[in-house]
Amino acid sequence: MPDDPGTAAYNDQLLRQLEDPIGWAGYVVTPDFWNRTLQNWQSDLLAVAAMAVLCIYLRQRGSPQSKPVGAAHTTTGIEG
């Protein structure tokens, strides 16, 4: 598996400290990997949760773009 940017950056830091670089498998067990991973998951989870809450709010509020709760799938918000 090729080095990802996190592994390359971590190895660059190790080389600057005159330490041997590590492979991807070694990088997976480092705190740096888990810190970067959890920060990404946290921001993605926050974005998805915000979208879900906004969608629920707009649907319950009676938005004209949404069907009423319990309406058939063929029903739209536009009648005429």
Side-chain angles (χ1 to χ4, degrees):
M1 176 176 242
D3 286 345
D4 68 317
T7 306
Y10 188 74
N11 279 333
D12 186 44
Q13 183 181 19
L14 287 176
L15 289 172
R16 289 179 187 186
Q17 297 171 359
L18 303 176
E19 296 179 23
D20 292 332
I22 59 173
W24 187 84
Y27 179 64
V28 170
V29 297
T30 63
D32 185 70
F33 170 80
W34 291 105
N35 183 30
R36 289 174 186 255
T37 302
L38 293 176
Q39 284 179 354
N40 285 338
W41 286 355
Q42 183 181 20
S43 64
D44 290 343
L45 181 62
L46 180 62
V48 169
M51 291 292 288
V53 168
L54 183 61
C55 289
I56 291 168
Y57 171 74
L58 289 175
R59 183 170 175 108
Q60 294 298 324
R61 193 177 129 238
S63 172
Q65 288 82 19
S66 298
K67 296 182 289 191
V69 175
H73 290 296
T74 57
T75 308
T76 65
I78 301 172
E79 297 191 20

